[in-house]
Amino acid sequence: MTEAAEKSARVVVADDQTIVREGIVMLLGLLPGIEVVGAAGDGIEAVRLVAELAPDVVLMDLRMPRCDGVEATRRIRAEYPGTQVVVLTTFGDDDSLFSALRAGARGYLTKDAGGDEIVRAVRSVLSGEAGLSPSIQLRLLERLSEPEPPTVTVVAEPPDGLTTREIEVLVLIAEGLSNQEIARQLHVSTATVKTHINNLFAKTGLKDRAQAVRYAYAKRLARPPVN
């Protein structure tokens, strides 16, 4: 047995819901090879605990106040690379998954994961491997096998502070897609699409989809159909 296998993994739990956080801490306390050394109620506190305690792994929720799990993961991986992050969240949509992985998370589990699955994920990331649940692994494989969404016109300075994702949504609106069709195209939920639309409307002062189409044409983000 290796030294890594014999040593208990020192873990910090980050979740804004007290009852959920306490439940996870209680569950981890029953699992072999895991020692909970701290618990945080938001991302800022999670980063602070990592600085103080230098844990091996943070089990990170994504949707938290003040500083969400993606930003907290990014800070931890940049400032404390000796600590790995395993996301433990309710959300398994593509936006959440890929944002967390791009931020530096090495594991991703949904909250229906069992104790054995959590232990495997923690051990995997400490061994330099990915700690992904089977459903998340399947989602990644499906995503790789699917055609890529339409290429967005690259602009040196995005107009009105729009993000790349908001421009993608705007281009698809200009192509006449409904919210449900955009969600399928971008592999996100309809609620996520609505959020992006609300954000881009607020930034640009647009009132409806017709104005959005004209805006996309005017900014040369999309091309009018050829008659």
Side-chain angles (χ1 to χ4, degrees):
M1 185 177 295
T2 66
E3 180 180 352
E6 294 174 350
K7 179 182 175 183
S8 290
R10 302 174 69 255
V11 174
V12 163
V13 175
D15 196 299
D16 65 315
Q17 297 183 4
T18 302
I19 190 168
V20 174
R21 184 172 66 251
E22 291 178 350
I24 294 171
V25 169
M26 185 177 298
L27 170 63
L28 295 178
L30 302 174
L31 300 178
I34 290 183
E35 176 191 0
V36 179
V37 296
D42 58 47
I44 291 177
E45 190 176 358
V47 175
R48 180 182 63 78
L49 287 178
V50 169
E52 292 179 1
L53 303 172
D56 300 307
V57 176
V58 177
L59 283 179
M60 183 79 73
D61 188 24
L62 290 183
R63 309 290 169 87
M64 296 185 291
R66 296 205 298 168
C67 173
D68 65 21
V70 171
E71 179 58 27
T73 297
R74 186 177 293 111
R75 295 182 189 179
I76 290 169
R77 296 300 298 143
E79 299 172 21
Y80 311 101
T83 297
Q84 301 293 340
V85 176
V86 174
V87 170
L88 184 61
T89 182
T90 305
F91 305 95
D93 61 278
D94 280 8
D95 263 8
S96 300
L97 170 61
F98 289 102
S99 294
L101 295 180
R102 282 192 294 267
R106 294 296 301 274
Y108 198 106
L109 304 172
T110 53
K111 287 182 178 175
D112 57 357
D116 290 344
E117 197 169 348
I118 294 174
V119 172
R120 280 196 300 271
V122 169
R123 286 298 172 200
S124 293
V125 299
L126 290 181
S127 299
E129 303 171 358
L132 305 173
S133 68
S135 63
I136 295 300
Q137 292 183 45
L138 178 60
R139 185 69 203 102
L140 286 172
L141 291 173
E142 290 174 345
R143 178 66 182 270
L144 290 173
S145 67
E146 291 171 351
E148 289 295 318
T151 301
V152 175
T153 301
V154 178
V155 290
E157 186 68 29
D160 298 309
L162 295 178
T163 66
T164 300
R165 182 60 103 186
E166 289 162 358
I167 293 175
E168 287 178 335
V169 171
L170 179 61
V171 169
L172 294 175
I173 289 175
E175 292 181 1
L177 274 64
S178 68
N179 288 0
Q180 291 79 8
E181 290 169 331
I182 294 172
R184 287 195 294 270
Q185 186 84 358
L186 298 180
H187 314 293
V188 299
S189 67
T190 304
T192 297
V193 172
K194 290 179 180 177
T195 297
H196 289 313
I197 292 175
N198 289 338
N199 289 342
L200 73 90
F201 276 21
K203 290 178 180 179
T204 58
L206 299 171
K207 303 297 184 184
D208 54 37
R209 296 175 88 92
Q211 289 185 1
V213 172
R214 291 195 292 272
Y215 176 91
Y217 293 161
K219 299 296 184 180
R220 298 186 177 182
L221 300 172
R223 296 180 181 178
V226 178
N227 294 327

